[in-house]
Amino acid sequence: MAVTGAALEREAPRRRRRVSGATRLGVALFSPALVYILALLGLPLVLAFLYSVGDVTVGSVGYEFVGLENFRSVVESPSFRRALVNSFVFTIASQVIVIVCANALALALRERFRGRGLVRFLILLPWVAPISLGAIGWKWILDSIYSVVNWVLAKMHLVNLFDPPMWLGRPALAMASVIAVHSWRMIPFSTVILLAGLTSIPKELPEAAAVDGAGFWRTHFEITLPMMRPIINVALLFGVVFTFTDMTVVYILTRGGPYDSTQVLPSLAFQTGVLGSDLAEGAAISMFLVPILVAVAALMLRVAHRAEVV
Amino acid sequence: MSPRSAWTIALPYLAFFLLPLGWLALTSFWPDAELARPLPSHLTLENHAAALSGGGLARAVLNSLLVSGATAALALALAAPAAFAVARLGVRGGRALLGGALAISMFPPIATAAPLYTALRAARLLDTLPGLVAPYTSFSVPLALWLLTGTFRALPVELYRAARVDGCTPLGAFRRVLLPLAAPGLATAGLLVFVFAWNELLYAVTFLTSPSRRTVPVALALFGGEFRDPFVVLAAASTLATAPVVAIAVLFQRRVVAGLTAGAVKG
């Protein structure tokens, strides 16, 4: 803030007098939001933890402490182990795709060209349209009988139309499909965030590098990308956390099948806790998400912090 | 990068992005009897009529509008004063609170679904629309708080000082000067919250049981299984149900992009 020394001195006594009243008002203005968040997010989280070490089903009234019993039965189930591995595969694979694609896309959209506004808007569309809609569209495209993808591939003589690939019916293909659709959903959001990071880089730097003889790729990897590190971290943090806790794409496309091959932790927790009415075990499964998320968040924040300092 | 190479990157992406939405929209005009053909011989509006008959879909759109609108309004009412307090009144530890709020909101919704279910049942709010607005708001407030703090910080501090010098109380300065100036930011935050609430599936499918209270994502996710309608009707229903939110996005697209980027830069 550009305030001269004299102005600061004149301001100081007045400000000090004002502080206590303003601070009280500040607290008064801030507390409703804080109380609301604590009551409807913090408290349920504590309860969820209590559920996970208790004996609670949808019908039950009482509560009995059972210690780590739920966790033991969860860890021992093959579905859970499968879902844990799947969650990591799903999150890492889709985030790698998302960051690479969003980066390229953000670079392209930084340029001024005819129709850029339209392209930007159209790319945002998958994010605005309900994901259930996008997922239904994809489900239809990957349908076992009416798949338009298969039809095109058959025309190109790449697949046999009478024995087409079952995009959602074979374990490996189903996983690949779910990852592709989730990436489809996440790229717009990351692109917009990265675009913001790109526009905040002073234009002079890459231009100076270009004058000094650095090519496009060299400028990109040695100047633009390092400067974008903090913003990439933000996009990645949001993306990882969101992907790890979301089940929409899996639920609509495959419901976790075939044979649990696309089951991820959130969808398993949903099936067990809500559809299966075993609140305690569902809560126990979702508790496994928490330490992993905290670790990811702490790691990312540290990386972001360091990047800012350097 | 030249405009041409920018296009070469953007175009394949666009195709990839718009393929499922466009294909679904096309399918909604497809005569049911011709689904086995690669392309329809003519287009029809029958599917849309079938999707609208019974009123279930219109009901779902209305429910979603009510829930999303109420969530956005409530989240802004809670977040705007708090954001002003953090940005201008120097609440001690405001940044920490902001970070904490954001961290809490990142916790998996599925973890809180069971306790919220029990709490809503106790409050007799299970299977009601307010019962959905309450948890949606708690997930939206941190995001709105984050965005709006950025908005208020971006307004020149001199404005606030001038209003104070001219005799406004801090609250008056907030209400009469800063709030009107923050209108674009408020619109953006409200819009993002609206879109989040419009798309949310997990809580909606967990807390709502009556078909008449379903929101759009639930209605679409359960469409085929329940009514055994042909897929073309589901396609028509999806297309119709998306029209409102796409219309809103078209109207406010600048705001959406500006808001997302503002929040991101501050992050």
Side-chain angles (χ1 to χ4, degrees):
Chain A
M1 222 181 308
V3 188
T4 62
L8 205 66
E9 266 171 30
R10 253 182 288 125
E11 179 76 1
R14 216 188 310 155
R15 216 205 271 153
R16 196 173 303 143
R17 194 150 41 81
R18 202 187 293 148
V19 155
S20 63
T23 306
R24 216 174 301 139
L25 178 69
V27 172
L29 290 178
F30 194 83
S31 10
L34 190 67
V35 169
Y36 195 95
I37 294 174
L38 286 180
L40 272 98
L41 262 178
L43 201 62
L45 273 174
V46 175
L47 280 175
F49 177 71
L50 287 180
Y51 280 17
S52 69
V53 293
D55 172 24
V56 198
T57 55
V58 165
S60 72
V61 203
Y63 177 85
E64 198 184 329
F65 180 76
V66 296
L68 297 178
E69 183 55 36
N70 294 316
F71 288 96
R72 200 180 55 84
S73 88
V74 161
V75 171
E76 276 175 4
S77 89
S79 307
F80 171 78
R81 290 187 196 168
R82 189 79 208 245
L84 187 67
V85 174
N86 284 345
S87 271
F88 276 100
V89 172
F90 180 61
T91 306
I92 294 172
S94 62
Q95 281 313 300
V96 168
I97 298 175
V98 165
I99 288 297
V100 171
C101 292
N103 233 311
L105 202 52
L107 276 178
L109 288 181
R110 183 180 53 166
E111 299 304 315
R112 298 193 170 277
F113 59 87
R114 224 177 229 283
R116 179 177 71 160
L118 182 70
V119 175
R120 276 190 181 189
F121 169 68
L122 287 177
I123 280 176
L124 213 57
L125 206 57
W127 179 76
V128 181
I131 176 57
S132 34
L133 174 86
I136 289 167
W138 277 110
K139 195 176 181 179
W140 180 233
I141 285 175
L142 301 173
D143 189 88
S144 51
I145 303 170
Y146 300 114
S147 167
V148 61
V149 176
N150 283 351
W151 188 78
V152 172
L153 289 179
K155 278 282 159 201
M156 294 160 73
H157 298 288
L158 289 174
V159 304
N160 179 0
L161 199 50
F162 300 102
D163 182 24
M166 308 279 274
W167 296 107
L168 301 173
R170 295 263 169 73
L173 271 182
M175 194 56 171
S177 302
V178 171
I179 289 171
V181 173
H182 189 81
S183 308
W184 172 83
R185 174 196 194 185
M186 292 296 291
I187 288 172
F189 185 71
S190 300
T191 305
V192 172
I193 290 185
L194 293 183
L195 202 53
L198 266 180
T199 39
S200 68
I201 294 176
K203 269 223 169 71
E204 292 77 22
L205 274 171
E207 275 169 13
V211 169
D212 288 348
F216 172 77
W217 290 110
R218 187 137 180 236
T219 315
H220 182 63
F221 279 110
E222 290 183 14
I223 299 198
T224 313
L225 219 48
M227 290 198 70
M228 283 177 72
R229 270 252 303 277
I231 201 82
I232 290 180
N233 282 327
V234 170
L236 207 55
L237 176 65
F238 272 102
V240 166
V241 168
F242 184 80
T243 306
F244 212 75
T245 57
D246 188 66
M247 62 152 206
T248 313
V249 170
V250 167
Y251 182 72
I252 291 181
L253 277 187
T254 64
R255 310 256 149 133
Y259 325 115
D260 277 348
S261 59
T262 55
Q263 193 78 274
V264 287
L265 287 179
S267 63
L268 184 66
F270 178 74
Q271 276 194 352
T272 314
V274 177
L275 298 182
S277 300
D278 190 342
L279 296 181
E281 205 158 307
I285 296 172
S286 54
M287 277 298 130
F288 277 94
L289 295 167
V290 175
I292 300 170
L293 285 178
V294 170
V296 170
L299 188 76
M300 299 299 291
L301 285 177
R302 232 179 81 186
V303 173
H305 189 70
R306 202 182 304 152
E308 258 170 2
V309 171
V310 169
Chain B
M1 202 186 296
S2 68
R4 179 176 295 186
S5 50
W7 268 112
T8 13
I9 294 182
L11 264 185
Y13 277 119
L14 265 188
F16 176 56
F17 281 133
L18 298 181
L19 175 72
L21 301 178
W23 191 251
L24 200 63
L26 176 65
T27 304
S28 73
F29 293 102
W30 206 301
D32 188 32
E34 294 187 9
L35 264 188
R37 293 170 54 134
L39 280 175
S41 63
H42 65 282
L43 302 176
T44 171
L45 279 172
E46 270 173 41
N47 306 322
H48 298 83
L52 284 174
S53 71
L57 183 68
R59 193 64 201 248
V61 170
L62 183 67
N63 289 341
S64 270
L65 282 175
L66 286 174
V67 168
S68 312
T71 305
L74 193 56
L76 287 186
L78 285 167
F84 167 67
V86 173
R88 282 289 169 262
L89 296 181
V91 177
R92 193 167 295 177
R95 275 182 68 97
L97 284 173
L98 212 58
L102 209 64
I104 289 189
S105 75
M106 279 177 185
F107 279 81
I110 180 72
T112 52
L116 281 173
Y117 185 92
T118 324
L120 288 175
R121 190 174 52 180
R124 296 185 179 282
L125 282 174
L126 206 58
D127 198 22
T128 66
L129 296 184
L132 210 52
V133 172
Y136 281 4
T137 306
S138 64
F139 269 97
S140 316
V141 166
L143 175 72
L145 192 55
W146 185 263
L147 288 171
L148 289 178
T149 306
T151 307
F152 283 121
R153 283 218 178 105
L155 294 176
V157 71
E158 288 76 19
L159 277 170
Y160 175 67
R161 295 235 176 99
R164 294 282 284 122
V165 168
D166 287 348
C168 274
T169 60
L171 200 59
F174 167 62
R175 224 161 38 101
R176 298 214 193 99
V177 179
L178 295 187
L179 209 51
L181 285 172
L186 287 169
T188 309
L191 199 61
L192 293 182
V193 171
F194 188 95
V195 170
F196 155 77
W198 186 276
N199 288 342
E200 208 283 336
L201 174 68
L202 173 66
Y203 281 175
V205 88
T206 309
F207 299 151
L208 302 173
T209 44
S210 326
S212 67
R213 298 215 174 78
R214 279 178 188 156
T215 56
V216 168
V218 187
L220 293 184
L222 299 178
F223 206 88
E226 188 131 324
F227 304 107
R228 305 190 136 267
D229 271 319
F231 189 86
V232 282
V233 178
L234 172 59
S238 324
T239 314
L240 287 171
T242 314
V245 73
V246 170
I248 291 174
V250 172
L251 283 175
F252 292 99
Q253 57 146 318
R254 262 166 214 286
R255 293 265 164 86
V256 179
V257 176
L260 283 173
T261 53
V265 170
K266 295 295 176 312

